[in-house]
Amino acid sequence: MSEEQYVPVEDAESPTSPASAEDASDAGSGRPSFVRRLLRSRTARAVTAAGLAGALLGAGAVAWRTDTVPLLGPAPCWDSLGDASVSGLFGDRRIEVDEQSLGNARLGDGLSYGQCRITSYKDDRALRQVTFNVHQLDGLRGTDSTRWPQEFLAAGMVSLGEGLPGMVSASRGWLALPQGCTGRGDFSGPTVVEIGMGRAGLDFSSDLATEDRDALTDALVDATNGVIRSFGCSGSYPSPRELPSVDTWQDTDAAALCGTKGFALPAAYRKELPRTRIGAGDDGPARICEVGSDDREQVVRMTTVVDPALAEIFSWDSLRSGASVKGTTGYGKTTGGRAVYRASCQTGHVVFVVEQLRQTAKGGFTLTDELLPGYVAAEAERIGCGPQKLTLPSA
């Protein structure tokens, strides 16, 4: 993805079309009456009197409740979430919002900007919690190169597309802020708005999962546009017209692993790794392929990051973690269970990551080095960045 796609693409209002996701227990509950919807709309924006008086729940946090006396005020989460987004995520439930004011270096690392958490309730029982987080992805210290991709660069996610630099699933999503608004230094990734609901990776193929994904997408775009306004920048992102379907687990094509021509799975692992799924497609910031066993347990994850800004989060791994890997137009490191190779391409830096998540029947973590040269060579050809020939430390 080129840097130009980080520029706000449209000066338009946030989408107002209603989302449809609700908890499974809400199915068939019917549309709330006009009066109830009007009350929910007003009270979703209400700030408690205690909050107005300055009683803080935490550093920069304010409490919002839908069961308080309605008071006119900003929308939840930095005055960003419209009624349709709130209703899509929580229906007509009572909600509480804990919101940190947006500000750089809240935690002293210069990367965190703030967090907003919304919890819905039925009586006194919490039903659903959605968390927004705004921070700049780190590449200099390697703090975001492992855990963040596990949650936000997964094969269960799809690209937002249409100039939106981000990805989403039924439980996680992220959208990068325009670089013209936030800026970006060396070895730094983009500043992103994240949304999370429940445990990462609990995605499943069903109408409810599709509704959840659509609701998360609407809320994510709303929140990102609100953050853009809070940062004093102009423009906004449009809501995606239609998201692609999530790829399900398929039989492994051993001759074209991960759907990549010329990349073969070694014969010794073909019986053990019969299932594959691919996430994000060819038009997103990253393409992820997971290969696993018959019970769909992930054994290997391979990621191609084509967005130059996003690729920076792997800077530490490609420079200072493990044995050196040399290539035609790049370099990298391998640690046995994980290998990262960074190549210079026409579009900027591209990163290839191969991770072995479980031991194979052969034992140990040897599959990463076996797959890396073929993966990089075939993927580089696929994206027009070849040829790439790698030399591993043992060669």
Side-chain angles (χ1 to χ4, degrees):
M1 179 177 300
S2 65
E3 181 170 326
E4 285 75 16
Q5 288 179 291
Y6 277 90
V7 177
V9 294
E10 188 173 294
D11 288 320
E13 293 296 326
S14 298
T16 56
S17 58
S20 58
E22 291 178 302
D23 294 330
S25 60
D26 291 338
S29 60
R31 186 179 181 182
S33 68
F34 173 78
V35 174
R36 289 184 66 199
R37 284 185 283 118
L38 178 62
L39 288 174
R40 190 211 59 74
S41 173
R42 293 181 66 196
T43 56
R45 299 192 195 93
V47 181
T48 62
L52 288 173
L56 301 181
L57 294 182
V62 181
W64 305 34
R65 295 173 65 96
T66 59
D67 58 349
T68 58
V69 177
L71 299 173
L72 294 179
C77 299
W78 315 296
D79 197 18
S80 67
L81 297 186
D83 290 346
S85 292
V86 175
S87 180
L89 287 171
F90 305 105
D92 202 36
R93 304 294 188 190
R94 174 173 67 88
I95 64 170
E96 293 184 6
V97 182
D98 296 335
E99 177 182 311
Q100 282 183 330
S101 350
L102 291 172
N104 188 242
R106 296 190 58 85
L107 300 180
D109 59 5
L111 300 174
S112 180
Y113 287 90
Q115 187 179 91
C116 181
R117 183 175 64 245
I118 308 177
T119 308
S120 66
Y121 292 86
K122 181 178 181 181
D123 300 323
D124 291 329
R125 181 168 62 93
L127 291 181
R128 167 172 284 187
Q129 188 172 89
V130 173
T131 300
F132 297 88
N133 191 43
V134 184
H135 78 289
Q136 185 176 28
L137 294 173
D138 167 54
L140 182 61
R141 289 160 288 188
T143 57
D144 286 319
S145 66
T146 302
R147 184 174 178 179
W148 194 86
Q150 288 175 356
E151 290 196 44
F152 294 98
L153 293 181
M157 307 187 78
V158 298
S159 169
L160 291 172
E162 299 183 22
L164 296 173
M167 300 169 65
V168 70
S169 70
S171 63
R172 292 293 185 274
W174 64 273
L175 181 55
L177 295 170
Q179 290 187 47
C181 177
T182 62
R184 187 173 65 84
D186 294 337
F187 301 111
S188 295
T191 299
V192 297
V193 178
E194 303 163 0
I195 187 170
M197 180 173 67
R199 200 176 83 187
L202 288 180
D203 302 327
F204 50 94
S205 299
S206 72
D207 291 340
L208 286 176
T210 300
E211 291 174 359
D212 282 347
R213 189 185 67 169
D214 291 344
L216 285 178
T217 300
D218 288 342
L220 176 61
V221 174
D222 264 7
T224 304
N225 287 335
V227 173
I228 291 173
R229 292 191 298 270
S230 295
F231 284 176
C233 302
S234 62
S236 63
Y237 286 127
S239 183
R241 292 188 181 90
E242 184 177 356
L243 294 174
S245 59
V246 177
D247 190 42
T248 58
W249 289 92
Q250 307 289 334
D251 291 339
T252 296
D253 184 347
L257 188 60
C258 299
T260 305
K261 183 180 179 181
F263 180 37
L265 179 65
Y269 301 100
R270 295 183 180 183
K271 184 176 181 180
E272 189 175 353
L273 302 175
R275 308 291 286 173
T276 300
R277 68 171 180 168
I278 304 168
D282 298 333
D283 62 344
R287 184 177 189 261
I288 304 99
C289 174
E290 296 170 351
V291 186
S293 57
D294 274 323
D295 58 5
R296 301 179 183 180
E297 181 183 32
Q298 303 171 27
V299 177
V300 180
R301 179 169 56 232
M302 290 165 280
T303 306
T304 302
V305 183
V306 297
D307 184 301
L310 188 63
E312 291 297 331
I313 71 172
F314 298 99
S315 296
W316 173 276
D317 301 69
S318 61
L319 284 170
R320 305 185 62 180
S321 179
S324 295
V325 176
K326 298 179 181 180
T328 304
T329 67
Y331 56 87
K333 296 285 185 178
T334 178
T335 60
R338 192 167 193 254
V340 177
Y341 178 77
R342 174 184 172 112
S344 296
C345 299
Q346 298 91 328
T347 56
H349 289 125
V350 174
V351 166
F352 306 89
V353 184
V354 179
E355 301 168 278
Q356 183 177 342
L357 309 176
R358 305 284 186 275
Q359 287 195 32
T360 62
K362 293 175 61 176
F365 288 83
T366 60
L367 189 52
T368 299
D369 286 353
E370 291 186 54
L371 292 176
L372 182 66
Y375 177 70
V376 171
E379 277 289 280
E381 288 294 332
R382 182 183 66 82
I383 65 176
C385 188
Q388 291 289 334
K389 184 176 180 180
L390 273 60
T391 302
L392 297 179
S394 58

